[in-house]
Amino acid sequence: MDDTLGSTDLRARCERQQYPLLRADAAAAFADVTVETDDGETNLGVVISELACDSFTGPDDLYDELVASVEAGSELRGA
């Protein structure tokens, strides 16, 4: 059964990473998280791997990119 990740949980997960953080490392760190959207499920690691930026300078940078990339109202679920 998957656990629901709210925005607070996602922000905390972003804060647990070491920065600066390369996009590939961020994608690996979030590979076990799926995004539930109206169109189905999307792996958050895949979403990160497709972002235009190559690295993240801090947790707010990563969090803001994730929020901007995920549809409003999507449910984040982590394994």
Side-chain angles (χ1 to χ4, degrees), residues 1 4 13 18 29 33 37 66 72 78:
M1 182 174 183
T4 299
R13 191 167 179 148
Q18 298 283 337
V33 180
T37 68
L66 290 173

Side-chain angles (χ1 to χ4, degrees), residues 26-62:
F30 287 83
D32 64 337
V33 180
T34 57
V35 179
E36 190 74 32
T37 68
D38 292 339
D39 296 329
E41 292 184 347
T42 301
N43 182 281
L44 198 53
V46 172
V47 170
I48 293 171
S49 73
E50 295 173 348
L51 293 174
C53 55
D54 292 327
S55 64
F56 307 95
T57 58
D60 290 337
D61 188 23
L62 176 56

Side-chain angles (χ1 to χ4, degrees), residues 5-36:
L5 277 180
S7 62
T8 302
D9 297 324
L10 179 58
R11 186 174 292 280
R13 191 167 179 148
C14 290
E15 290 173 357
R16 288 193 301 264
Q17 307 305 309
Q18 298 283 337
Y19 294 91
L21 180 64
L22 296 176
R23 182 180 56 217
D25 294 332
F30 287 83
D32 64 337
V33 180
T34 57
V35 179
E36 190 74 32

